Amino acid sequence: MKNLNIAVLIPTFNEVLNIDILLRALHKIHSTFTEICLTVYAVDDSSPDGTADAATQLNHELGNQHFQVRVIRRVNKEGLGKAYLEGFKTMLSLSTQPDYVLQMDADLSHKPEYFSQFVRAIHSDADLIVGTRYLPGGSCSNWSWYRKLLSRVGNTYARLLLGREITDYTGGFNMYGIELLKKINLDTLDTDGYGFQIDLKYQAKQHSKKIVEIPIQFLDRQYGQSKMPFNTISQNFSLVLRIKIKHLISG
């Protein structure tokens, strides 16, 4: 297989402690893959704690011919969905586009060690690779029983309405082939809370040639405060129904 160009999109807001740990971990893991050029994009919503500047400084320290850190600076804090939209559109506008784009949280809830499994899935010709908490080997071990129940019920409901090919519609640790991203109408995606991840995966699976799911252990953030309102999980029910109706009408 030819050398791969992989982009990692990491939305950030006040993640100065986490971004240092995460970028160093990705740099270390990437060093074992001689056939991969990796560019990490911190999509930063004008973090007042200096996250963007910290990422830029880490590029000076860690950057080389095959590993780079870039910052996409956004003026306003508009939420995860809109940050990802800008990131995806930036990838599609590049003169040299990445072959694959990996979504990843900045708060260390997504373990960098899983990067090697995403790469293995690429070599199996998958164009949609989903990190899932709901296959054997996956978990969200430090959640309360109530949060686990809401998340599992919400994902089961999404599978009933949107298709069983994907077991984790709401998770944010996923990789998309660039040709698959080109087939998704980004401007129609729901950007409200978990709705973005659900809508993005639903559209992606409609066009995907091969879906691979990777069981992951999900952990709550180690530093900083969670930015996702707790009741967002329970809002999945109306979100999933809205997404299903939207695509029935449009298609």
Side-chain angles (χ1 to χ4, degrees):
M1 179 178 281
K2 68 179 180 68
N3 287 353
L4 284 170
N5 289 313
I6 297 178
V8 183
L9 293 183
I10 305 176
T12 57
F13 184 76
N14 286 349
E15 299 285 3
V16 69
L17 293 175
N18 293 321
I19 199 67
D20 185 274
I21 298 170
L22 179 56
L23 289 177
R24 291 183 189 279
L26 285 172
H27 178 263
K28 182 177 180 180
I29 292 164
H30 167 261
S31 66
T32 65
F33 292 94
T34 57
E35 80 282 12
I36 290 175
C37 291
L38 187 67
T39 306
V40 183
Y41 293 85
V43 187
D44 189 71
D45 283 1
S46 297
S47 298
D49 72 346
T51 298
D53 292 337
T56 300
Q57 182 57 42
L58 282 163
N59 183 61
H60 295 318
E61 179 183 343
L62 304 175
N64 56 51
Q65 184 179 358
H66 300 291
F67 181 89
Q68 293 288 316
V69 179
R70 298 286 181 258
V71 177
I72 300 173
R73 296 176 186 259
R74 290 166 45 79
V75 175
N76 300 315
K77 186 177 185 296
E78 299 178 300
L80 193 71
K82 290 189 177 179
Y84 268 128
L85 277 180
E86 183 158 342
F88 283 137
K89 288 181 177 181
T90 299
M91 298 304 97
L92 292 171
S93 70
L94 294 173
S95 56
T96 302
Q97 297 172 344
D99 299 298
Y100 286 83
V101 180
L102 175 66
Q103 293 179 288
M104 197 172 186
D105 287 353
D107 61 8
L108 307 179
S109 57
H110 297 150
K111 295 181 180 181
E113 297 93 308
Y114 288 114
F115 181 77
S116 59
Q117 295 188 40
F118 280 94
V119 173
R120 282 199 293 272
I122 289 174
H123 291 314
S124 73
D125 293 326
D127 59 354
L128 174 55
I129 307 160
V130 177
T132 176
R133 298 160 289 181
Y134 301 115
L135 284 178
S139 69
C140 31
S141 56
N142 61 348
W143 280 10
S144 69
W145 70 267
Y146 183 65
R147 190 174 179 187
K148 288 179 182 178
L149 177 64
L150 283 177
S151 182
R152 185 171 288 277
V153 170
N155 270 289
T156 300
Y157 178 66
R159 293 185 72 203
L160 287 172
L161 265 68
L162 304 179
R164 295 180 177 274
E165 300 94 331
I166 294 173
T167 62
D168 195 339
Y169 274 95
T170 59
F173 200 9
N174 315 289
M175 183 178 275
Y176 298 85
I178 196 69
E179 296 304 319
L180 177 59
L181 277 177
K182 291 175 183 178
K183 297 174 183 176
I184 296 171
N185 189 340
L186 296 174
D187 291 324
T188 67
L189 289 174
D190 193 311
T191 58
D192 206 10
Y194 280 115
F196 176 78
Q197 302 291 3
I198 298 170
D199 202 356
L200 178 60
K201 287 180 195 170
Y202 181 59
Q203 283 204 43
K205 83 175 185 65
Q206 307 293 92
H207 301 287
S208 174
K209 295 183 296 184
K210 182 178 181 180
I211 302 172
V212 169
E213 291 197 295
I214 298 170
I216 63 166
Q217 294 179 333
F218 179 92
L219 297 173
D220 267 342
R221 64 169 48 249
Q222 297 184 36
Y223 304 106
Q225 294 182 340
S226 175
K227 306 176 188 73
M228 184 65 72
F230 185 77
N231 65 351
T232 304
I233 299 173
S234 61
Q235 292 172 358
N236 275 356
F237 296 99
S238 59
L239 283 170
V240 169
L241 186 59
R242 185 172 75 215
I243 289 167
K244 180 67 173 180
I245 292 172
K246 177 180 71 174
H247 288 289
L248 284 174
I249 292 172
S250 63

